[in-house]
């Protein structure tokens, strides 16, 4: 497992230094509350081509309702820029929540808002990393603080795959 975020360079200025990172598909985050991040380790097919191919696949379903839904998710790919950080989220934010970093990670296979863009990237030769930091008290507050610091460094923009 990789410690820290040396790949970030000057982009996020040590924002994720306390996170543990591993290859996205191999992640085994703990069953604890916390904050997580997805970042690019290596780019594959150009993002415009990834988007075009994924949207074409969505259209091929032939069901306009599903196509519009998938397009709304897949269009987030077009916001990927030079920054390696593409998603920031948290687990266990509500009082009494039993959601964990492990459970949120598993949602990328079933129902997470960013699952379709991630699948498109992974199927197009992109190597992604999943990172986490355990935050037992108020992970939602920690997530918001990270997003604010991210936005300060990126002219008010959020990471590409975060819903607006």
């Amino acid at each position: 497992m990789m410690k820290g975020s040396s790949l970030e360079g000057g982009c996020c200025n040590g924002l994720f230094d306390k996170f543990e990172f591993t290859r996205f598909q191999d992640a085994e985050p703990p069953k604890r509350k916390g904050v997580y991040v997805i970042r690019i380790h290596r780019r594959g097919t150009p993002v415009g081509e990834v988007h075009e191919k994924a949207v074409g696949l969505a259209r091929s379903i032939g069901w306009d309702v599903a196509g519009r839904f998938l397009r709304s998710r897949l269009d987030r790919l077009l916001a990927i820029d030079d920054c390696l950080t593409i998603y920031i989220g948290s687990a266990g934010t509500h009082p009494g929540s039993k959601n964990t970093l492990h459970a949120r990670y598993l949602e990328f296979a079933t129902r997470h808002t960013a699952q379709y863009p991630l699948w498109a990237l992974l199927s197009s030769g992109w190597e992604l990393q999943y990172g986490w930091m355990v935050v037992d008290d108020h992970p939602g507050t920690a997530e918001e603080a990270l997003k604010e610091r991210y936005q300060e460094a990126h002219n008010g923009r959020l990471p590409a795959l975060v819903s607006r």
Side-chain angles (χ1 to χ4, degrees):
M1 182 148 340
M2 296 163 270
K3 188 76 171 162
S5 60
S6 60
L7 294 176
E8 289 296 333
C11 180
C12 289
N13 297 320
L15 192 58
F16 306 109
D17 284 347
K18 295 181 181 176
F19 282 63
E20 293 185 45
F21 283 91
T22 190
R23 182 175 175 263
F24 184 85
Q25 297 96 314
D26 301 330
E28 293 183 21
K31 294 179 179 176
R32 306 258 313 265
K33 295 178 180 184
V35 183
Y36 61 94
V37 64
I38 299 171
R39 69 181 182 189
I40 300 164
H41 179 69
R42 188 182 64 76
R43 295 171 190 266
T45 303
V47 75
E49 291 177 37
V50 174
H51 176 262
E52 188 175 314
K53 179 180 173 185
V55 167
L57 182 60
R59 279 193 196 113
S60 74
I61 294 170
W63 184 20
D64 289 342
V65 174
R68 282 191 305 271
F69 170 78
L70 291 169
R71 177 99 190 219
S72 73
R73 299 300 194 259
L74 295 167
D75 283 352
R76 296 177 190 176
L77 290 165
L78 299 174
I80 292 176
D81 58 16
D82 292 337
C83 184
L84 302 177
T85 302
I86 59 174
Y87 194 87
I88 299 171
S90 62
T93 58
H94 304 293
S97 174
K98 295 185 191 240
N99 203 353
T100 66
L101 292 163
H102 180 77
R104 288 298 282 166
Y105 170 74
L106 294 178
E107 287 178 1
F108 285 107
T110 60
R111 64 181 200 110
H112 196 284
T113 185
Q115 77 185 45
Y116 301 110
L118 289 174
W119 293 359
L121 293 171
L122 292 169
S123 69
S124 299
W126 288 58
E127 292 179 21
L128 305 176
Q129 293 179 327
Y130 186 82
W132 63 87
M133 177 177 69
V134 171
V135 179
D136 289 319
D137 294 320
H138 309 291
T141 303
E143 173 193 8
E144 290 308 313
L146 283 170
K147 285 180 176 176
E148 285 176 19
R149 288 183 54 205
Y150 180 95
Q151 287 179 300
E152 288 171 8
H154 295 87
N155 299 318
R157 290 178 300 129
L158 286 168
L161 301 186
V162 172
S163 60
R164 308 301 187 243

